Amino acid sequence: MKTKFTKITLTIIVLLGFSMSAQDVNQVNKTYTKEIEKIIINKKVQLALQHIDESDKETIKNMIVLNEIPAPPFKETKRAEKFKEMFLEAGIDSVWIDAEGNVLALRKGKNRNKTLVLDAHMDTVFPEKTNVTVKIEGQKYSAPGIGDNTRGMAMILATLKAMNHASIQTESDIVFVGTVGEEGLGDLRGVKHLFSKASDIKIDSWISIDGGGNGRIINGGLGSKRYKTIFKSKGGHSWGAFGLANPHHALGNAIAFFIKDATKYVTIDGPKTTFNVGRIGGGTSVNSIPFESWMEVDMRSLSPKRLLEIDSIFKASMKRAEKVYNASGIKDKVILEMKPIGNRPSGNLPSNIPLIQRAIASASYLGITPKLSTGSTNSNIPIARNIPAITISRGGKGSGAHSLDETWTNKEGTKNIKLALIITLAEAGLVN
């Protein structure tokens, strides 16, 4: 159905939006409600919003095309090349792939005094040979990665096309970005590069599209530290070399020490903090003393201080396990290695900063119930640096993220594209 904003419709949306949003967030400052109202009633913006509805089939088509190009961890190149091509077809001032593999599409503003990024990550959690063909049942689309995050990629393309269709001009530059390495061991490498000295752009505000929950607005970064811990020794025959240092035995002690000390710590009052031994491996056969034993550990906290403290507990537990086991009377010794495999900083931005106020007001105007929350997304990096940043939802109805049975259903799917557009225009400044 086409979106047409009249004064009566707008009034109803305002009333509905704020009656719902008041349950979940603080009342938005009237300055921003008026700002968003002024943007929405702009004739060019109304044309852009209408175009988002009218081009829904094209947006779905783009989502399917992108999803069926595999983008496993550290192998996003083919999808990135296609994304770059789509930006060129849509119309953009310039587009390129940077040294880390991110796609950057620059739409110049009138004054060019700031740079706003609208981002969606391109990578998935799935191995290279995973079947990513999209199955369609009515408005339901099924395939690994369909919601997380090719839907987000299609949304930022739709946002750009709507702006171009309506000949909208902004005060600030907007860079539409497809990032690499958001998932798992990618460790946010794409966005980390964009905020490094090697970056091609200087970023003043950041908006990511990622994840479900229509009204979710992430303004807090859930930090994490991850390690691969390895105990090594010579290895040998289980009978003939019995008594030789066994890395599995040392690792067992290490896990026991860590769980005991970490459990005691996380039960102390304070911001939520968690730990998890996610993977264990090593050894060659049942009758061989392994030459290597390893585990991968994930620790998370809402508090930067607590994250550092549980990190210290982990390291101390590992070193203690090495020392105690080597002093237990075994022959030879085990050697400990701790390899960092993930480091996502924590942080939280106050709800009264303009970007978050604009996001709350925009959601409310569209009849979406806004809810501020914390998550582990690309926004972690700018949030930790106190740079205005949020992550908004892909909309629709998703299920089974990170599984082979992932689905995305087009239930009012265009609503969150409109949300992305309005927030972007408010933050970048609309030229009348």
Side-chain angles (χ1 to χ4, degrees), residues 223-225 227 258-259 261-267 272-276 297-301 303-317:
S224 64
K225 285 186 176 291
Y227 290 90
F258 176 54
I259 289 175
D261 293 345
T263 300
K264 183 178 179 180
Y265 176 75
V266 300
T267 55
K272 183 177 179 179
T273 304
T274 65
F275 60 91
N276 182 61
V297 178
D298 171 82
M299 297 168 285
R300 301 187 181 210
S301 182
S303 160
K305 181 176 180 289
R306 297 261 286 174
L307 187 60
L308 288 174
E309 288 172 345
I310 196 166
D311 180 62
S312 296
I313 290 170
F314 169 75
K315 290 175 180 176
S317 299

Side-chain angles (χ1 to χ4, degrees), residues 211-278:
N214 291 353
R216 189 194 65 174
I217 300 169
I218 291 177
N219 66 316
L222 174 58
S224 64
K225 285 186 176 291
R226 295 169 177 171
Y227 290 90
K228 184 171 185 176
T229 294
I230 309 167
F231 285 93
K232 295 182 177 181
S233 73
K234 294 179 180 178
H237 195 279
S238 62
W239 174 264
F242 179 71
L244 188 67
N246 187 313
H248 280 353
H249 298 177
L251 183 68
N253 283 346
I255 293 173
F257 290 156
F258 176 54
I259 289 175
K260 181 179 179 181
D261 293 345
T263 300
K264 183 178 179 180
Y265 176 75
V266 300
T267 55
I268 298 172
D269 287 342
K272 183 177 179 179
T273 304
T274 65
F275 60 91
N276 182 61
V277 178

Side-chain angles (χ1 to χ4, degrees), residues 309-380:
E309 288 172 345
I310 196 166
D311 180 62
S312 296
I313 290 170
F314 169 75
K315 290 175 180 176
S317 299
M318 297 304 103
K319 291 175 182 177
R320 178 186 169 201
E322 178 188 31
K323 183 177 180 180
V324 169
Y325 184 70
N326 284 338
S328 66
I330 47 91
K331 299 174 187 176
D332 203 57
K333 63 180 180 178
V334 295
I335 298 172
L336 168 67
E337 290 184 18
M338 287 184 283
K339 297 181 178 180
I341 58 174
N343 184 12
R344 300 188 178 202
S346 301
N348 191 76
L349 295 175
S351 62
N352 63 353
I353 68 170
L355 176 59
I356 296 173
Q357 288 283 295
R358 287 166 175 149
I360 295 169
S362 299
S364 298
Y365 266 77
L366 291 171
I368 300 171
T369 306
K371 180 178 290 186
L372 299 182
S373 65
T374 299
S376 182
T377 70
N378 273 339
S379 292
N380 275 47

Side-chain angles (χ1 to χ4, degrees), residues 28-37 352 354 357-358 361:
V28 67
N29 188 297
K30 290 181 180 179
T31 300
Y32 298 102
T33 65
K34 292 177 181 178
E35 179 187 65
I36 298 305
E37 177 181 358
N352 63 353
Q357 288 283 295
R358 287 166 175 149

Side-chain angles (χ1 to χ4, degrees), residues 187-199:
D187 196 34
L188 308 184
R189 65 187 178 93
V191 67
K192 284 179 178 178
H193 176 81
L194 290 172
F195 283 94
S196 74
K197 292 180 179 178
S199 177

